[in-house]
Amino acid sequence: MSVTTLPPAPSPVAPPLASSYARLSAVFPGLRVRELGQHEELPDGEGWVGAGELAEGGPALDAFLSWDAAQVERDHGRPARPDVVASFGLHRYAWPACLLVTVPWFLGRRVPRVPAGDVAFQRALGYMAVRVREFACLPDDPAALLPEARVVPDEEALRAEVRAAVAEHLDPVLEGFRPRMRRGSRALWGMATDEIVEGLWYIAGLLGEESRAMAELELLLPGSDKPYVGNAGFRELTAPDGRALPTRDRASCCLFYTLRPEDTCVTCPRTCDADRVRKLTAAA
């Protein structure tokens, strides 16, 4: 009697961005990203907030910013102005949110579309959940055959996809924060520009690819693409021992100086080059 042998079950196909998000979490355990299935609901409750809820600017945003207000009082012994609290909260959301787009572009040349309605954040645990319905890639990418792939012709077209994907996600979020920020559109998009650059710059440093990231970011943000404000802003200073010290000039200010005027960020427009050299050499 002949026996029919069934073929082995096909191996499950990894989500197209999974390897990039895994490398991100490996070097930066403070952020773990989970790709959801197409019909899987965003998590809620237990500290989760949807980006769409932040964009609405209502009770969910109030609860989100209460964390920042409490942190300032705990760490500095006094309350911050409401607009300063909102600036801190926006930074703490936008920095990881931009990485949802920039890290898979930098590592895998795949650019996901992540509208606000498809992203949720659990800030206390450092989790993000994202549903990717579509991503852009280059013609020679094996993932180009996937139904959710959208093929673009070249690297410049892929950079345009990065700019568009981040803007699509952040535009409604910025509108939700705007009434609390006391800043205009240009200042808010200056913050968005900084989050794109400084987030990927930091992660690339952990990956040992700082120089490549700086070159890629200069091409990504040349200073002429609206709504972004300014370019990547990289330049070099010289340490006392002659070493080159990469730095950049931020397009916006995080307002930390309102709490500790003597302690500005190393890339802050308020920080002179002598102080930057001192801070950078001390950190090294």
Side-chain angles (χ1 to χ4, degrees):
M1 182 177 67
S2 62
V3 178
T4 301
T5 303
L6 296 176
S11 301
V13 177
L17 310 175
S19 61
S20 292
Y21 290 148
R23 287 187 67 188
L24 166 63
S25 297
V27 297
F28 185 61
L31 179 61
R32 285 168 284 181
V33 179
R34 179 188 167 204
E35 280 187 78
L36 302 175
Q38 293 299 312
H39 303 292
E40 195 173 355
E41 295 292 328
L42 288 176
D44 59 8
E46 298 182 347
W48 285 93
V49 63
E53 295 177 283
L54 297 178
E56 292 172 0
L61 182 55
D62 291 335
F64 186 81
L65 293 178
S66 69
W67 191 98
D68 298 280
Q71 178 265 324
V72 168
E73 290 209 47
R74 183 178 64 250
D75 291 355
H76 300 281
R78 61 188 178 92
R81 295 186 332 228
D83 61 309
V84 174
V85 170
S87 294
F88 289 179
L90 177 58
H91 162 66
R92 288 163 176 161
Y93 175 75
W95 193 91
C98 289
L99 294 175
L100 294 176
V101 176
T102 59
V103 164
W105 164 67
F106 182 69
L107 294 179
R109 284 307 189 254
R110 296 172 184 174
V111 180
R113 287 292 181 134
V114 288
D118 285 336
V119 176
F121 185 37
Q122 217 292 5
R123 68 184 303 171
L125 300 177
Y127 293 161
M128 296 198 90
V130 57
R131 184 189 300 110
V132 178
R133 304 177 191 271
E134 177 185 304
F135 67 93
C137 64
L138 295 172
D140 60 352
D141 188 328
L145 298 176
L146 294 174
E148 64 267 38
R150 187 161 49 81
V151 178
V152 298
D154 53 33
E155 290 282 359
E156 179 49 41
L158 203 61
R159 287 190 286 270
E161 289 291 330
V162 175
R163 294 188 289 265
V166 174
E168 178 186 36
H169 182 86
L170 284 185
D171 185 54
V173 175
L174 294 179
E175 288 302 312
F177 275 82
R178 181 194 296 272
R180 303 158 192 263
M181 298 280 293
R182 290 170 48 183
R183 299 197 196 191
S185 178
R186 180 177 174 81
L188 290 174
W189 282 103
M191 290 185 69
T193 304
D194 289 330
E195 304 302 354
I196 292 172
V197 176
E198 298 206 345
L200 185 61
W201 185 25
Y202 178 77
I203 296 301
L206 299 178
L207 289 163
E209 296 198 61
E210 180 183 24
S211 295
R212 181 168 79 88
M214 292 168 67
E216 297 265 17
L217 286 164
E218 288 176 336
L219 293 172
L220 178 68
L221 294 167
S224 56
D225 292 281
K226 305 298 182 184
Y228 301 104
V229 175
N231 55 25
F234 290 113
R235 58 192 180 91
E236 284 190 349
L237 300 173
T238 304
D241 62 2
R243 287 181 298 116
L245 300 172
T247 188
R248 69 176 296 265
D249 295 312
R250 289 177 57 89
S252 67
C253 178
C254 70
L255 303 182
F256 185 72
Y257 78 92
T258 62
L259 297 173
R260 293 217 309 250
E262 74 286 356
D263 191 11
T264 55
C265 305
V266 72
T267 56
C268 179
R270 296 171 175 268
T271 306
C272 69
D273 284 356
D275 284 344
R276 293 184 188 216
V277 169
R278 177 177 55 78
K279 290 171 183 281
L280 290 169
T281 52

